[in-house]
Amino acid sequence: MQDVLRQFPLKGGVISCEPYGSGHINDTYRVETDKGVLYILQRINTHVFPNVDGLMHNISSVTAFLSERATDPREAMHLVRTVSDAPYYKDAQGGCWRVYDFVTGSVCLQKIERAEDFYESAYAFGNFQQMMAQFPAETLFETIPNFHNTPDRYQKLQHAIESDRMGRVKEVSEEIAFARSLAQEVGRLHVLRESGALPTRVTHNDTKINNVLMDEVSGKALCVIDLDTVMPGLAAYDFGDSIRFGAATAAEDEEDLSRMRLNVDLFETYTRGFLAACKNLTPLELETLPLGALTMTQECGVRFLTDYLEGDTYFKIHRPDHNLIRCRTQFTLAADIKRHLPKLGEIVSACARG
């Protein structure tokens, strides 16, 4: 670690470097120097993100852009460049390392404890959209190609059905039928993006509450973190995935499907926070925000079903039917979101009017 840290112009000598946080992708450490300055050191998972140059181009560009517009230094992550002015350091073994300034006086929540927490998360991601509105999204690399290309997800599902490598297709006829019943509707966002009707924006693509730092005293949102999946996308992707994750009434792998539905009150809470910060969405973007919630939920269910049919090669499982259970919860939530679409549209319109 000392050899790695010497490659960065830290303030003071390093006195500790300890594992930090609960992330599952990169290895993260909290570094402290003898001058009391704190940093975050990360070893990038190059299996998940093989194009490290593209990844770090995105992060260095986005953090620099945000820093120029932040009114509070804690409103943006600050990347520490190496002593040779590179965005990351590659060691002799091929390990890729980066350093951020530690955001002092902040806390990261692992789950929504109060409705106010969900509002602040929404405000943070809406503010991210607002601050990045003038950034040329086309200059960013796709760190995970076709990540939210819903028609492509359906093509992968169809291939899994046709190959039936695990002999499981006969068990999931109802799930396949439900997936197909929404294919055209949830493919609409991609069609609108391809046609230019919806503008391509800089999107975060992992809008969970644990990717927002809150002020430890006031509880107010400071900034969004974990920028590895920042790439070109649609505002509805970020909005919709937050709803999928935060406004569901049950866990992603809940077996009792009667417990899974959409919490409409939390949808309204998130919408108020997101639109309070993000003022530059077009009328069609506003109109399609509820569709984003349906699309992201259904797409996630399709991914779980595909992985189940292919032998559980992507998502980690803890029992043989884990991905099938996950698929069913997402499809149940998607069905409830679809039932509520008119109401959700009314909520978005009311929040947009202020």
Side-chain angles (χ1 to χ4, degrees), residues 144-153 189-190 193 203 205-206 231 233-234 237-238 241 295-296 299 303:
I144 305 176
N146 291 316
F147 189 55
H148 285 317
N149 181 337
T150 309
D152 183 71
R153 296 293 187 185
L189 285 178
H190 182 75
R193 179 184 173 187
T203 48
N205 296 298
D206 192 12
M231 51 187 157
L234 297 177
Y237 294 162
D238 278 2
D241 204 38
T295 301
M296 292 298 95
E299 182 183 286
R303 293 176 65 196

Side-chain angles (χ1 to χ4, degrees), residues 23-305:
H24 299 299
I25 304 298
N26 303 307
D27 298 324
T28 303
Y29 304 87
R30 180 180 180 271
V31 176
E32 183 176 1
T33 73
D34 55 15
K35 291 189 176 181
V37 182
L38 301 176
Y39 298 93
I40 290 294
L41 169 69
Q42 287 186 320
R43 178 164 53 193
I44 301 166
N45 187 326
T46 55
H47 296 287
V48 176
F49 301 107
N51 182 6
V52 180
D53 287 339
L55 172 75
M56 293 308 299
H57 163 81
N58 288 1
I59 290 176
S60 60
S61 300
V62 167
T63 53
F65 191 86
L66 289 172
S67 295
E68 292 174 356
R69 286 152 181 79
T71 56
D72 180 335
R74 298 187 299 166
E75 200 175 4
M77 297 182 69
H78 297 272
L79 185 70
V80 179
R81 299 182 72 86
T82 69
V83 292
S84 58
D85 197 35
Y88 72 97
Y89 169 68
K90 188 172 184 178
D91 65 28
Q93 290 73 43
C96 296
W97 302 82
R98 65 188 174 206
V99 171
Y100 295 104
D101 289 333
F102 188 90
V103 181
T104 58
S106 67
V107 63
C108 180
L109 302 179
Q110 294 305 309
K111 62 180 180 178
I112 299 167
E113 299 172 357
R114 309 169 302 156
E116 292 85 350
D117 298 333
F118 202 35
Y119 178 93
E120 291 300 324
S121 170
Y123 192 92
F125 287 114
N127 190 48
F128 177 81
Q129 281 284 320
Q130 183 72 20
M131 293 176 72
M132 296 300 298
Q134 302 304 316
F135 186 94
E138 67 277 2
T139 65
L140 297 180
F141 290 87
E142 283 197 347
T143 53
I144 305 176
N146 291 316
F147 189 55
H148 285 317
N149 181 337
T150 309
D152 183 71
R153 296 293 187 185
Y154 268 89
Q155 288 177 11
K156 288 180 170 64
L157 172 61
Q158 182 60 31
H159 177 75
I161 293 169
E162 292 172 356
S163 60
D164 193 19
R165 60 187 294 183
M166 303 300 293
R168 291 173 169 177
V169 167
K170 61 182 179 294
E171 308 169 14
V172 294
S173 58
E174 290 185 13
E175 288 77 13
I176 291 171
F178 181 80
R180 287 172 170 166
S181 72
L182 290 182
Q184 184 172 356
E185 187 169 8
V186 298
R188 183 170 169 241
L189 285 178
H190 182 75
V191 172
L192 290 171
R193 179 184 173 187
E194 289 291 292
S195 71
L198 287 174
T200 296
R201 297 187 181 275
V202 178
T203 48
H204 185 279
N205 296 298
D206 192 12
T207 51
K208 300 181 180 68
I209 196 167
N210 60 3
N211 282 331
V212 177
L213 293 183
M214 313 284 196
D215 185 275
E216 63 182 1
V217 176
S218 69
K220 298 294 184 182
L222 295 174
C223 68
V224 299
I225 60 174
D226 192 0
L227 304 178
D228 289 332
T229 53
V230 167
M231 51 187 157
L234 297 177
Y237 294 162
D238 278 2
F239 180 91
D241 204 38
S242 286
I243 298 302
R244 181 194 73 82
F245 174 78
T249 59
E252 197 173 67
D253 56 0
E254 172 60 57
E255 294 188 58
D256 182 358
L257 296 180
S258 68
R259 300 183 63 185
M260 175 57 88
R261 59 182 175 81
L262 174 70
N263 185 321
V264 177
D265 290 338
L266 283 179
F267 177 92
E268 192 271 340
T269 296
Y270 192 90
T271 304
R272 279 194 297 109
F274 190 84
L275 295 184
C278 188
K279 303 287 190 181
N280 65 344
L281 298 185
T282 68
L284 185 57
E285 284 182 297
L286 290 169
E287 179 187 322
T288 53
L289 289 181
L291 179 58
L294 175 63
T295 301
M296 292 298 95
T297 305
Q298 182 72 359
E299 182 183 286
C300 192
V302 165
R303 293 176 65 196
F304 285 138
L305 180 57

